[in-house]
Amino acid sequence: MAQTVRDKTPPHDDELEQAALGSLLTDYEAVTTAIEMHLHSGDFYSRANTRVYEAILSLDEKRVRPDIQSVVQELKQMGKLDEAGGASYVSSLTSIIPSSANIEYYAQMVKNYSLKRSLLKLASSISINAYDESKEAGTVLEDMQKDFNKLLDERQIVSARKVGDILKDTIDIIQQVMKNKNATTGIPSGFKDLDSLTAGFQRDEFIIIGARPSVGKTALALNIASNIAIHSKIPTAFFSLEMSSHALLSRIISSEANVRAHNIRTGFLSTSDFDGIIDASAIIYESPLYIIDMPNGKISDIRTQARRMKSQQDVKIVFIDYLGLIASEPGNKQRFEQISDISRSLKSLARELEIPIVVLCQLNRDAQFETPTLANLRDSGSIEQDADLVLFLHRPQPKDKKKKDDEAPAAPLDNIPTDLIIAKQRNGPTGVVKLQLVTKYAKFAPLEKERVSGNVE
C-alpha cells in the first residue's frame, strides 16, 4: 500500500541539527552567526535539540560562552536536562562536527526544513478550515493570506554589511548619475517643478499625499500614475478602495482626451469629443497601468497583491487610494493603533519590494482653511514618522477675504489655484509647487506665471 502524506514523518534531518549545535558549542562566533540568521529554537524538529538551543540562547543573553559544561548547567537550572537527552547527549554533540566553518549552511538547512514543516502545517489548517461548513470561503482565504504573509515576514533574514562592501556599490551609483546628468534619478511624476525638488519618486520610499476631501488628491494621484504609466511606459499599480475601476478609468480618459468629465458621465458628447476619446483610449490601452479595485481591502490583501504585481508585472510604483479605507484586521486595537500598524507595514513593503509606495491620506478638519502641517495627518502620528516624503494639497485663501452673510456665492472656477506643499522630504528640500486644478478635465497642470519656491532642510 502506498504511503500517504499523513503517514510520512515531517521533513527534518537529525544529523544537520546536531551538526549545527556542535558548531555552536565549539565556536562562540558561530552563535552570533546563527542569531543573525534568525535561527529560532522552534526551527529544530527534535525536542532534545530544541532544549539545547534554548539553553545556548539563554547563556548568550547572560553573556556566558556556551560550551558543554555551561549548557548542561543551564539545562539543569531550567529543569530541562532530561528533555535534552541528558549530559551524555550534550557531550556527544561536539564529536559530530569537527569544525564550525559550515555553520551558515547548517543553520540554513535547519531553517529550510522548519519552513517546510510550517508550510505543511499551514496546508493542513487550510484543509481543515475549507471542510468547516460554518466558515465562508472568503474568510478561509483571508486567514490563509494572513498566515502566509506572517510566515514570509518571519523568514526574512537581516544581515549586517561592512561599510566597505557597500561603498563600491554607492560610488557606482554616483558615477552613473554623473554620467547620465539627469536631475530626475527616480520615477518622474510628470510635474517638472515637483521633480526638480524630489528628483522623482525614489525606490524604497513610503510617500504620502494628504488633503481635505474634494481638494483633488485622487485626481493628482491619477495624473501622476498616468504620466508614469501612459507617457513614460513604466509599469504602475493603482489600488482603489474608494472608486470603481470604471470610474477611475473615466477620469483618466477625460484627462487624456481633454473631454469634460461631466459630459462623459452624462453622455452629452459631440462627434469630436468621441473621436478624442477613441484616440486617447488607443494610447491608454497600450500602457502598463494596472487598476486593482479593492473595496474593504485589508493590509494583508494589499501586500499579497502588491507582491504578485511586482513578481508578475514588474511594477515599479504602487498607488493606494486611500489609507483611511484600508479595513482593519481582526483584533481589539483602537483605530489610531491600526493605522500605525498599517503605516509601518506599507513602509516595510516599500523596502521589501524596492519600489515607491504612494498612499493617499485625509487631513483632519484643522487643515480646512489653514496651511496644513504634519500634525494634520489623520488618525496617527506614526504616519509622519514612517513617511519619507509627505505632500499636501492646499487651496490658499486670500488673506483679506472675509465671508459675509449677504455675499453671493462665488461662481465655480474652471481653474483652481492649488499649492502642492512638500512638507517633509527625508533626503531633500521642502517647498511649494504651484498648480491649478482644471476642474472640467479633473486634472492638475502647472500654474501659469508661477515658479516653484523651496527651502533646503
Side-chain angles (χ1 to χ4, degrees):
M1 181 180 295
Q3 188 180 35
T4 64
V5 173
R6 188 183 298 274
D7 298 327
K8 291 183 177 180
T9 303
H12 71 286
D13 190 318
D14 287 332
E15 291 185 358
L16 278 170
E17 292 187 2
Q18 292 167 350
L21 293 175
S23 299
L24 302 179
L25 291 172
T26 57
D27 185 354
Y28 188 46
E29 295 297 326
V31 177
T32 301
T33 300
I35 293 173
E36 288 179 347
M37 294 183 66
H38 289 228
L39 181 64
H40 304 293
S41 58
D43 290 328
F44 290 87
Y45 177 75
S46 164
R47 175 177 292 184
N49 294 336
T50 299
R51 298 295 178 249
V52 172
Y53 190 61
E54 287 175 349
I56 291 174
L57 292 179
S58 178
L59 288 170
D60 182 72
E61 288 182 0
K62 299 175 182 178
R63 297 186 178 180
V64 176
R65 184 187 184 97
D67 54 25
I68 295 175
Q69 288 76 21
S70 61
V71 169
V72 169
Q73 186 61 33
E74 186 69 16
L75 286 167
K76 285 181 180 179
Q77 292 181 1
M78 296 168 64
K80 297 179 179 179
L81 182 57
D82 290 339
E83 290 184 36
S88 59
Y89 178 74
V90 177
S91 300
S92 70
L93 293 172
T94 56
S95 63
I96 295 173
I97 179 70
S99 171
S100 61
N102 294 325
I103 180 58
E104 289 189 15
Y105 169 76
Y106 298 136
Q108 186 58 51
M109 290 304 296
V110 170
K111 288 175 64 65
N112 180 63
Y113 282 116
S114 174
L115 177 57
K116 287 186 175 182
R117 294 194 300 272
S118 296
L119 289 171
L120 286 172
K121 183 178 179 180
L122 178 57
S124 176
S125 175
I126 294 170
S127 177
I128 292 172
N129 290 328
Y131 277 109
D132 189 343
E133 295 185 0
S134 67
K135 294 186 177 182
E136 295 289 336
T139 301
V140 175
L141 181 61
E142 288 179 7
D143 290 343
M144 181 273 291
Q145 289 178 330
K146 182 179 178 181
D147 291 339
F148 185 72
N149 288 335
K150 182 179 179 181
L151 198 59
L152 285 174
D153 292 340
E154 290 174 350
R155 295 293 157 173
Q156 288 184 2
I157 297 177
V158 180
S159 59
R161 295 179 64 191
K162 187 175 181 295
V163 67
D165 297 332
I166 307 172
L167 188 59
K168 182 181 181 301
D169 293 339
T170 305
I171 295 299
D172 288 343
I173 293 172
I174 294 173
Q175 288 180 327
Q176 187 63 40
V177 173
M178 287 178 61
K179 180 179 178 181
N180 294 337
K181 288 183 171 55
N182 188 348
T184 303
T185 58
I187 296 177
S189 68
F191 291 92
K192 183 179 178 181
D193 288 341
L194 176 60
D195 291 336
S196 71
L197 286 174
T198 63
F201 293 146
Q202 306 296 316
R203 72 174 193 172
D204 300 356
E205 283 194 340
F206 176 43
I207 301 163
I208 292 291
I209 298 178
R212 289 291 298 155
S214 301
V215 174
K217 58 182 179 295
T218 300
L220 178 64
L222 280 177
N223 285 173
I224 296 174
S226 297
N227 290 336
I228 295 170
I230 298 174
H231 301 292
S232 296
K233 304 299 182 184
I234 298 173
T236 303
F238 197 104
F239 287 78
S240 179
L241 285 76
E242 183 176 34
M243 300 176 63
S244 70
S245 56
H246 294 292
L248 287 177
L249 193 52
S250 292
R251 281 197 176 197
I252 294 173
I253 291 172
S254 171
S255 176
E256 293 297 315
N258 287 332
V259 174
R260 286 181 178 271
H262 180 72
N263 291 355
I264 293 178
R265 287 195 301 270
T266 59
F268 288 96
L269 298 168
S270 65
T271 301
S272 61
D273 285 341
F274 191 73
D275 289 342
I277 290 174
I278 296 301
D279 292 340
S281 297
I283 299 173
I284 296 171
Y285 181 83
E286 298 295 333
S287 69
L289 177 61
Y290 303 90
I291 296 177
I292 302 94
D293 193 347
M294 189 178 282
N296 301 315
K298 295 183 173 64
I299 185 61
S300 57
D301 302 329
I302 293 172
R303 288 172 52 174
T304 298
Q305 186 65 33
R307 284 169 174 147
R308 184 179 298 117
M309 297 296 294
K310 172 64 175 177
S311 174
Q312 296 180 358
Q313 276 76 36
D314 193 27
V315 297
K316 302 297 185 182
I317 186 169
V318 167
F319 291 80
I320 301 174
D321 183 16
Y322 63 91
L323 183 67
L325 290 180
I326 298 178
S328 61
E329 300 283 1
N332 298 321
K333 292 183 178 181
Q334 296 184 11
R335 185 56 179 167
F336 78 91
E337 293 178 309
Q338 295 171 0
I339 293 294
S340 295
D341 291 343
I342 292 169
S343 174
R344 283 191 294 268
S345 182
L346 291 172
K347 168 70 174 177
S348 176
L349 184 63
R351 294 196 62 186
E352 174 194 336
L353 301 183
E354 297 185 337
I355 61 174
I357 293 183
V358 184
V359 183
L360 277 58
C361 180
Q362 282 197 5
L363 303 181
N364 58 36
R365 292 184 181 276
D366 294 339
Q368 188 164 2
F369 299 109
E370 301 297 329
T371 301
T373 67
L374 293 172
N376 296 128
L377 288 167
R378 195 168 182 176
D379 289 322
S380 174
S382 69
I383 302 173
E384 172 189 347
Q385 299 172 11
D386 296 331
D388 299 288
L389 176 64
V390 178
L391 307 175
F392 291 141
L393 278 174
H394 175 63
R395 293 176 185 170
Q397 301 291 330
K399 294 182 179 180
D400 58 348
K401 182 176 181 180
K402 295 181 180 179
K403 184 174 177 61
K404 300 179 181 179
D405 293 337
D406 58 350
E407 181 179 326
L413 297 175
D414 285 335
N415 300 324
I416 303 176
T418 306
D419 286 347
L420 179 59
I421 303 168
I422 302 176
K424 175 187 177 182
Q425 185 172 194
R426 199 180 299 276
N427 300 306
T430 57
V432 179
V433 176
K434 298 292 185 178
L435 301 176
Q436 57 183 338
L437 175 61
V438 184
T439 56
K440 58 185 177 182
Y441 303 141
K443 71 177 181 180
F444 282 91
L447 187 62
E448 295 179 1
K449 298 181 181 179
E450 293 282 354
R451 300 182 66 183
V452 62
S453 62
N455 64 280
V456 179
E457 290 182 333

